[in-house]
Amino acid sequence: METIVMKFGGTSVATPEKIIGVAKRAIKEKEQGKRVVIVVSAMGKTTDTLLGLAAEISAEPPKREMDMLLATGEQVTISLLAMAFKQLGHEAVSFTGWQAGIETESVPRNARIEQIHTDRLEAVLNSGFFAVVAGFQGVDRIGNITTLGRGGSDTTAVALAAALKAEKCDIYTDVDGVYTSDPRFVNGARKLEQISYDEMLELANLGAGVLHPRAVEFAKNNNVPLTVRASYSDEPGTIIQEVVTVEKNLIVRGVAFEPGIARVTVTYNKPFNGSLANIFMTLAENHIDVDIIVQSISEEFQPSVSFSIKEDSLEEVRRVLDDNKEAIGFKSTEFEVGLAKVSIVGSGMVSNPGVAARMFDILRMSEIPVKMVSTSEIKISVVVPGGDMEKSANALHEAYGLG
Ligand code: ASP
Ligand code: MG
């Protein structure tokens, strides 16, 4: 018998009525002769509420206890959903992450799944029961509860699909699929029928909140066919898979954007005989995520390196740089806030030269200054003034024929 994994996010299980709706939807799938695993998030904004409670006790609560706290959210949903199945005349067993055999590394708040011991799940599924599993949580080797990072229930679902060799993993959410861009800000953004794992991974990493990046990574590595679809309709949604049929020869498949970016410029004395490793090792040791890096060394000017960070880590970066000025050996720093990152993503770029040139041209015509650039095989990102973010995204979306 084929197995399917269905995952429902917070808004899709926000009320008891919605939970009953989820059960009904899963029953329909089971009636097609499938073994069905349902992974759920915490109800509505529960995780945020729990974070708020902790913040009232401490500005820096112990991470282990945060995991303990946050894991309770999903536990409420699994029990209620299992009750709903029973009420509708079906058998179901709920599982916390650790009961489902999800073993993770010992990294509180952001653990990766290492392995899944599926025996108990298999036994329950083979008895013809629904298996209801709490997303976003697991247990480390020494028995601490861990969580997988915000949005991590997607990753639970995909990991279970891989471990159970499921035929597919459907992510049910409050939007009906993956869009060419965020329709709340970009005119004419539309739903994609399909997208490749690589493109989706870039978009997820670039802030398209629809899927947890690690879920996409997991799906790619294990070849799990993944679908994002609406929990409120029967529309087919967006399929994420390895190979995608080329739609209208589109070079760009999506435009992503993210506000709240800052640029840090560090200037060295001339001549610069240090190493970039000094500064970036120091930042890494302090767990600061650096995104785009641009180095400038010329005969005429003082050598410098600029990098982009999330604005909310600015104070920390400032402090870390100040504390390590001697060791890093720089002369001065400069900070620019209020920036945004806008990116275009598409597998078609690999075989089409001039995509970057065209992008800069489009931005120039809209009089948008480009402050930093970074590229990968299938992505080009630019940092622009925050006030120009929407304008840039709309201009690019339109010029690449995505509307
Ligand atoms: N409840 C967790 C969160 O809000 C995990 C998830 O929903 O995927 O981030
Ligand atoms: Mg989510």
Side-chain angles (χ1 to χ4, degrees), residues 7 9-10 41 150-154 173 209-212:
K7 182 259 168 179
S41 290
R150 294 306 305 266
S153 295
D154 296 341
T173 178
V210 64
L211 276 177
H212 195 228

Side-chain angles (χ1 to χ4, degrees), residues 32-353:
Q32 311 291 312
K34 313 276 185 197
R35 304 199 306 172
V36 182
V37 179
I38 304 105
V39 174
V40 284
S41 290
M43 292 171 72
K45 298 258 169 266
T46 302
T47 307
D48 292 328
T49 310
L50 294 171
L51 285 167
L53 283 176
E56 283 184 43
I57 305 262
S58 159
E60 244 176 287
K63 288 187 170 173
R64 179 187 182 278
E65 305 311 330
M66 281 309 292
D67 279 348
M68 184 65 92
L69 176 70
L70 296 182
T72 63
E74 273 68 14
Q75 211 171 319
V76 172
T77 327
I78 52 168
S79 51
L80 292 175
L81 180 55
M83 290 175 201
F85 278 118
K86 185 83 193 167
Q87 189 61 30
L88 293 165
H90 288 258
E91 296 295 339
V93 180
S94 66
F95 294 89
T96 59
W98 45 102
Q99 289 175 330
I102 299 174
E103 203 176 288
T104 73
E105 56 181 5
S106 291
V107 177
R109 308 267 336 247
N110 200 25
R112 277 175 188 274
I113 295 176
E114 280 180 338
Q115 50 175 322
I116 305 186
H117 309 279
T118 54
D119 348 351
R120 248 186 109 183
L121 281 178
E122 291 277 5
V124 161
L125 291 168
N126 289 339
S127 326
F129 291 15
F130 287 97
V132 181
V133 182
F136 174 58
Q137 54 177 257
V139 63
D140 72 5
R141 289 233 177 110
I142 51 169
N144 292 305
I145 294 175
T146 51
T147 59
L148 311 182
R150 294 306 305 266
S153 295
D154 296 341
T155 302
T156 304
V158 177
L160 282 173
L164 294 165
K165 304 201 169 41
E167 147 193 24
K168 61 173 181 162
C169 180
D170 286 345
I171 308 284
Y172 289 86
T173 178
D174 54 350
V175 291
D176 58 357
V178 178
Y179 276 66
T180 52
S181 196
D182 188 334
R184 288 171 302 175
F185 305 99
V186 175
N187 297 326
R190 64 182 170 83
K191 192 177 86 183
L192 290 159
E193 268 167 41
Q194 32 177 320
I195 184 167
S196 71
Y197 291 125
D198 289 328
E199 290 168 328
M200 189 63 233
L201 192 56
E202 292 281 10
L203 287 176
N205 277 321
L206 291 166
V210 64
L211 276 177
H212 195 228
R214 276 185 193 165
V216 184
E217 206 176 85
F218 223 107
K220 176 179 160 68
N221 293 340
N222 295 281
N223 232 322
V224 178
L226 194 59
T227 302
V228 173
R229 53 190 301 182
S231 53
Y232 52 81
S233 87
D234 285 325
E235 292 294 306
T238 302
I239 299 169
I240 301 137
Q241 56 193 7
E242 190 62 49
V243 187
V244 167
T245 50
V246 184
E247 207 188 322
K248 289 196 292 181
N249 293 319
L250 285 183
I251 293 174
V252 174
R253 205 177 302 270
V255 177
F257 47 91
E258 188 187 353
I261 305 291
R263 176 168 72 168
V264 182
T265 302
V266 176
T267 306
Y268 295 86
N269 283 314
K270 225 181 152 181
F272 174 55
N273 37 27
S275 156
L276 283 182
N278 287 348
I279 179 165
F280 292 109
M281 296 270 270
T282 308
L283 293 169
E285 278 158 17
N286 286 277
H287 304 286
I288 291 163
D289 261 332
V290 169
D291 187 18
I292 304 177
I293 300 173
V294 180
Q295 185 186 21
S296 147
I297 293 183
S298 77
E299 286 296 302
E300 282 153 63
F301 301 105
Q302 286 184 318
S304 70
V305 58
S306 297
F307 54 92
S308 67
I309 52 167
K310 296 245 162 82
E311 232 166 47
D312 52 19
S313 60
L314 187 68
E315 284 319 308
E316 211 182 337
V317 171
R318 212 191 279 273
R319 179 179 55 76
V320 169
L321 289 178
D322 280 351
D323 290 354
N324 296 281
K325 191 166 180 184
E326 292 285 280
I328 300 172
F330 63 88
K331 185 174 142 237
S332 61
T333 49
E334 210 183 295
F335 300 90
E336 187 175 2
V337 295
L339 304 174
K341 183 164 79 164
V342 180
S343 314
I344 56 175
V345 173
S347 307
M349 284 182 203
V350 181
S351 49
N352 279 283

